[in-house]
Amino acid sequence: MEEIKVDEKEALACCGSSQFAKQMALASPFPSVDHAISVAKDIWFNKVDVIGWLEAFAAHPQIGESPSSHTTSAQWSKGEQSTALATATDSGLQELSDWNARYRQKFGHVFLICASGRSAAEILGELKNRYSNRPIHELEIASQEQMKITELRLRKLFSAKTKADSTGSQYSTAVASKAESTFHFPFCLLHLLPLPFLPP
Amino acid sequence: MEEIKVDEKEALACCGSSQFAKQMALASPFPSVDHAISVAKDIWFNKVDVIGWLEAFAAHPQIGESPSSHTTSAQWSKGEQSTALATATDSGLQELSDWNARYRQKFGHVFLICASGRSAAEILGELKNRYSNRPIHELEIASQEQMKITELRLRKLFSAKTKADSTGSQYSTAVASKAESTFHFPFCLLHLLPLPFLPP
């Protein structure tokens, strides 16, 4: 199987740290997605500094903000947030928004969680639990959640690139085209919910 | 014994995080220096976020930079760096400077150590050892070293304020006056060496 190239822009869509993106591009091409994820974990946990971690967290939009629909990251994020939104009531969303603001006030960065299969209520419970953590402990948890998001996105990226190669189309065009047809959620929980996309 | 007041500017001279300084000033006055240190530890480790930690680290000058001689923090720092400099050779200082640059390149913040009683060679050894740490681990160690520096400075502050009270003079004037007579080191190791001041 041909090795897969990942450029800096593509890596940045998987994880918004410029240090991460540069080092992933330098390590490219990769013989498999599993190898790319292994390299990504080493870069993220051992080489990217805490300022780079904060940069990646900051690349996730705030609750209530609508992301640009023109980036791959924003498109992936929109797909990732659907399940929890489908299980959320209006009051639940408001409470999530309020707690997210409290969390950001205490920790200085957004609440990150990989919530695959979890309801909005479960995510809110997790947010409340983690709120009592020391900032350094919470930073480490958030970095682990960011890596889970990065891993899911790398798998999407490799899958899209492999498909594009087999059909002869351009990967970036395929992603953009799919993205334009996705539903625009009124609330943006991009930093909360890396979930499979299920249109409401 | 009368309670001792600490204002925001004084707290900032002990630890360059504005969050820390605001919360210390709000918790002031203190019945004793030990109580102030206990409150400072709670604020620093449990309430100041990692952005505040990085702000405090950044308040320490780089090796080779000369700090302003007009701040209390700079004056205290000058006193804190003397012992290691007294034990350092020119080549040792150069190696320390080189490794400090490598450290900053990897971790994104200055190398912090409370090196009381340690020689320059021992400090360099510690820097080399810590260089292999993961960034999150190193952040936690640096935060502990910053707290040791903060504790020493709070003790100096309380001692100076108590003396000023007993002589009827102004604390800030007393510190500034002492500061003007200190030797200006050619290399600034302020972030390395919170040591008692021993004029060369």
Side-chain angles (χ1 to χ4, degrees), chain A residues 45-51 53-54 105-109 133-136 139-140, chain B residues 45-51 53-54 105-109 133-136 139-140:
Chain A
F45 289 119
N46 301 321
K47 294 175 181 167
V48 173
D49 64 29
V50 293
I51 297 156
W53 282 7
L54 294 170
Q105 176 68 26
K106 174 171 179 183
F107 296 107
H109 56 78
N133 286 337
R134 289 177 54 211
I136 180 89
L139 179 73
E140 183 146 40
Chain B
F45 289 119
N46 300 322
K47 294 174 181 167
V48 174
D49 64 29
V50 293
I51 297 157
W53 282 8
L54 293 170
Q105 176 69 26
K106 173 171 179 182
F107 296 106
H109 56 79
N133 286 336
R134 288 177 55 211
I136 181 86
L139 179 73
E140 183 145 41

Side-chain angles (χ1 to χ4, degrees), chain B residues 63 88-103 120-121 123-125 127-128 187 189 192:
Chain B
I63 274 182
T89 60
D90 283 352
S91 63
L93 276 180
Q94 185 57 53
E95 198 176 0
L96 203 49
S97 173
D98 294 345
W99 270 91
N100 210 285
R102 285 186 65 180
Y103 179 98
I123 291 165
L124 179 61
L127 201 169
K128 288 179 181 175
F187 277 78
L189 300 174
L192 289 172

Side-chain angles (χ1 to χ4, degrees), chain B residues 54-155:
Chain B
L54 293 170
E55 182 193 11
F57 302 165
H60 296 274
Q62 285 298 284
I63 274 182
E65 274 181 10
S66 185
S68 157
S69 63
H70 303 297
T71 67
T72 306
S73 174
Q75 292 314 313
W76 280 337
S77 294
K78 282 181 183 177
E80 288 158 2
Q81 70 181 302
S82 57
T83 300
L85 275 172
T87 61
T89 60
D90 283 352
S91 63
L93 276 180
Q94 185 57 53
E95 198 176 0
L96 203 49
S97 173
D98 294 345
W99 270 91
N100 210 285
R102 285 186 65 180
Y103 179 98
R104 191 180 172 85
Q105 176 69 26
K106 173 171 179 182
F107 296 106
H109 56 79
V110 295
F111 176 68
L112 277 177
I113 190 166
C114 186
S116 185
R118 286 183 175 179
S119 68
E122 286 172 323
I123 291 165
L124 179 61
E126 192 62 25
L127 201 169
K128 288 179 181 175
N129 279 341
R130 281 170 49 183
Y131 183 79
S132 62
N133 286 336
R134 288 177 55 211
I136 181 86
H137 182 201
E138 191 52 28
L139 179 73
E140 183 145 41
I141 294 173
S143 78
Q144 290 159 351
E145 298 298 315
Q146 171 64 62
M147 189 60 232
K148 292 179 195 170
I149 296 169
T150 304
E151 180 172 343
L152 288 173
R153 291 186 179 184
L154 280 170
R155 293 196 183 282

Side-chain angles (χ1 to χ4, degrees), chain A:
Chain A
M1 185 184 160
E2 204 177 335
E3 294 201 319
I4 305 269
K5 286 183 191 168
V6 175
D7 66 26
E8 208 169 310
K9 193 178 169 189
E10 289 166 338
L12 203 63
C14 297
C15 171
S17 152
S18 52
Q19 293 173 35
F20 173 85
K22 276 181 191 144
Q23 292 187 52
M24 278 297 282
L26 281 173
S28 167
F30 302 101
S32 67
V33 66
D34 289 336
H35 184 258
I37 288 166
S38 169
V39 169
K41 284 182 179 174
D42 179 50
I43 291 172
W44 177 248
F45 289 119
N46 301 321
K47 294 175 181 167
V48 173
D49 64 29
V50 293
I51 297 156
W53 282 7
L54 294 170
E55 182 193 9
F57 301 166
H60 296 276
Q62 286 297 286
I63 274 182
E65 275 181 11
S66 186
S68 157
S69 63
H70 302 297
T71 67
T72 305
S73 173
Q75 292 314 313
W76 280 338
S77 294
K78 283 181 181 175
E80 289 158 2
Q81 71 181 301
S82 58
T83 299
L85 275 172
T87 62
T89 61
D90 284 352
S91 63
L93 276 180
Q94 185 57 53
E95 198 177 358
L96 203 50
S97 174
D98 293 346
W99 271 91
N100 211 286
R102 284 185 68 179
Y103 179 98
R104 192 181 172 86
Q105 176 68 26
K106 174 171 179 183
F107 296 107
H109 56 78
V110 295
F111 176 68
L112 278 177
I113 190 167
C114 186
S116 185
R118 286 184 176 178
S119 69
E122 285 171 324
I123 291 165
L124 179 61
E126 192 63 25
L127 200 170
K128 288 178 181 177
N129 279 342
R130 281 171 48 183
Y131 183 78
S132 61
N133 286 337
R134 289 177 54 211
I136 180 89
H137 182 201
E138 192 52 29
L139 179 73
E140 183 146 40
I141 294 174
S143 78
Q144 290 159 352
E145 297 300 316
Q146 171 64 62
M147 188 60 232
K148 292 179 195 169
I149 297 168
T150 305
E151 179 171 344
L152 287 174
R153 292 186 179 183
L154 280 170
R155 291 194 184 283
K156 285 180 190 168
L157 176 71
F158 274 65
S159 173
K161 285 172 89 84
T162 308
K163 278 182 198 162
D165 279 353
S166 67
T167 61
S169 65
Q170 287 294 306
Y171 153 68
S172 57
T173 309
V175 169
S177 171
K178 182 173 182 297
E180 292 308 325
S181 67
T182 60
F183 178 78
H184 286 213
F185 292 107
F187 278 76
C188 172
L189 300 173
L190 304 195
H191 50 290
L192 291 171
L193 314 165
L195 299 168
F197 179 67
L198 299 171

